[in-house]
């Protein structure tokens, strides 16, 4: 709480936790770990479900705008989209392209991922790649959608931020 009292202890990962995020309504947490798993918890510390599918560390987890879906990024070269009941909806990436960051559009229409070689990618949430966004020199470090989902911002090792419309 805001007075510094521990309210819960979440135990279940068998390695480091790389990422943690609250659901938009604040009733759940998602964690991604070095044990290749994603876990969903309530705020009392009870594990609700475990999402398995990544083959390496999960270093990024993000909820969609209403908390019904979760996007994850793993060191296995994939991003994945899950329903919060544990069902994998789609896999993004080709295991050859290193994914650095992942974002979901607020309306749930798009998933974006940043990666190596100056490329970010845009997919629909069925897993179909819509665009490769090229222009950065070096690694694209992160991606973020505008609140209305019409723009995607990327930043890279080349010390630039670029703004794209979501039609590529």
């Amino acid at each position: 709480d805001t007075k510094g009292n521990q309210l819960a202890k979440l135990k279940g990962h068998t390695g480091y936790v790389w990422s943690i995020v609250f659901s938009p309504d604040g009733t759940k947490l998602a964690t991604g770990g070095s044990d290749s798993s994603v876990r969903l918890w309530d705020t009392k510390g009870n594990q609700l479900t475990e999402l398995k599918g990544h083959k390496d560390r999960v270093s990024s987890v993000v909820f969609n705008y209403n908390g019904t879906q979760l996007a994850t990024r793993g060191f296995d070269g994939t991003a994945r989209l899950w329903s919060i009941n544990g069902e994998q909806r789609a896999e993004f990436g080709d295991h050859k392209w290193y994914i650095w960051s992942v974002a979901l559009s607020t309306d749930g229409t798009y998933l974006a991922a940043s990666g190596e070689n100056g490329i970010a990618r845009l997919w629909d949430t069925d897993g179909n790649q819509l665009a490769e966004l090229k222009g950065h020199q070096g690694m694209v470090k992160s991606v973020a959608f505008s609140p209305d989902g019409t723009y995607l911002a990327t930043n890279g090792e080349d010390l630039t931020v670029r703004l794209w419309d979501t039609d590529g």
Side-chain angles (χ1 to χ4, degrees):
D1 65 16
T2 57
K3 296 177 184 168
N5 300 310
Q6 180 176 303
L7 301 177
K9 186 175 186 177
L10 288 64
K11 293 183 74 173
H13 284 283
T14 58
Y16 293 112
V17 173
W18 282 72
S19 184
I20 186 167
V21 65
F22 274 99
S23 62
D25 66 3
T27 63
K28 295 175 200 66
L29 293 108
T31 56
S34 62
D35 60 2
S36 305
S37 73
V38 176
R39 296 169 192 261
L40 292 173
W41 313 83
D42 65 22
T43 54
K44 294 182 184 312
N46 300 308
Q47 184 175 306
L48 303 173
T49 190
E50 180 179 3
L51 312 176
K52 293 182 178 181
H54 284 286
K55 306 293 184 228
D56 202 340
R57 295 167 287 182
V58 178
S59 60
S60 183
V61 291
V62 60
F63 278 100
N64 69 337
Y65 74 100
N66 64 4
T68 59
Q69 296 180 40
L70 186 70
T72 60
R73 175 255 180 195
F75 275 75
D76 60 0
T78 67
R80 296 169 191 266
L81 183 65
W82 311 84
S83 65
I84 60 166
N85 67 4
E87 176 187 351
Q88 183 177 305
R89 295 203 47 236
E91 181 179 324
F92 309 86
D94 56 16
H95 300 275
K96 298 174 194 157
W97 180 69
Y98 183 79
I99 295 175
W100 190 258
S101 173
V102 65
L104 284 170
S105 63
T106 54
D107 66 358
T109 305
Y110 302 113
L111 182 138
S114 65
E116 56 193 8
N117 302 326
I119 299 171
R121 293 184 180 174
L122 182 68
W123 289 275
D124 66 22
T125 51
D126 291 326
N128 302 305
Q129 184 173 308
L130 303 174
E132 280 192 349
L133 308 173
K134 299 177 181 179
H136 287 284
Q137 300 299 313
M139 177 100 41
V140 181
K141 292 292 200 172
S142 63
V143 289
F145 283 100
S146 62
D148 65 2
T150 59
Y151 297 104
L152 179 69
T154 60
N155 78 299
E157 286 181 325
D158 59 1
L159 307 179
T160 65
V161 173
R162 296 175 188 265
L163 191 60
W164 314 82
D165 59 17
T166 52
D167 68 9

